[in-house]
Amino acid sequence: MDDYKERLRRLAVHDDALLEAIAVERQSARSVIDERTEALMRLAATIAVDASPSSFQHAVAHALAAGATRDEVVASLEAVTPVTGAARVVQCAPKVALALGYDVESALERVDE
């Protein structure tokens, strides 16, 4: 059986050993995709679930440490828009901005003045 089919089957039946290995080791994803791509995907998931600001801080820091650029971080936010909807992206944009060290809400207040 192909490896991807085996992994999908094990995920579909909630194979605890596989799920723990993924959560703890995260080696399975890295054997197929590079660390930068994985980090950007994790950021996209963080956006999709509208995680806490600290989760955004962690996800963005991890993406940058893995070699992603600030433009790629913002592109990840834009890329999930068709799936998550504009409202979710608008809600998460300030969290991503803060994680990048940019207080967009403060900047918008200065524009209004």
Side-chain angles (χ1 to χ4, degrees):
M1 180 180 286
D2 294 334
D3 186 51
Y4 81 93
K5 290 178 181 176
E6 173 70 14
R7 298 182 71 73
L8 284 171
R9 184 187 61 74
R10 290 179 67 191
L11 288 168
V13 297
H14 199 277
D15 183 313
D16 287 329
L18 177 60
L19 291 168
E20 183 162 339
I22 291 169
V24 174
E25 302 166 16
R26 296 195 326 250
Q27 294 302 314
S28 59
R30 289 196 186 137
S31 67
V32 181
I33 59 174
D34 62 84
E35 184 178 0
R36 183 182 135 282
T37 302
E38 179 188 8
L40 290 170
M41 291 173 73
R42 292 170 64 92
L43 173 59
T46 302
I47 296 163
V49 300
D50 189 21
S52 68
S54 63
S55 294
F56 276 89
Q57 291 287 336
H58 177 76
V60 168
H62 183 71
L64 295 173
T69 66
R70 293 174 184 276
D71 286 331
E72 289 172 322
V73 167
V74 175
S76 296
L77 180 65
E78 295 168 345
V80 300
T81 303
V83 177
T84 64
R88 173 61 48 91
V89 171
V90 168
Q91 184 176 7
C92 292
K95 296 177 188 178
V96 171
L98 280 175
L100 289 170
Y102 175 57
D103 186 347
V104 71
E105 291 177 350
S106 176
L108 288 171
E109 289 175 7
R110 286 193 298 272
V111 169
D112 289 340
E113 292 175 354

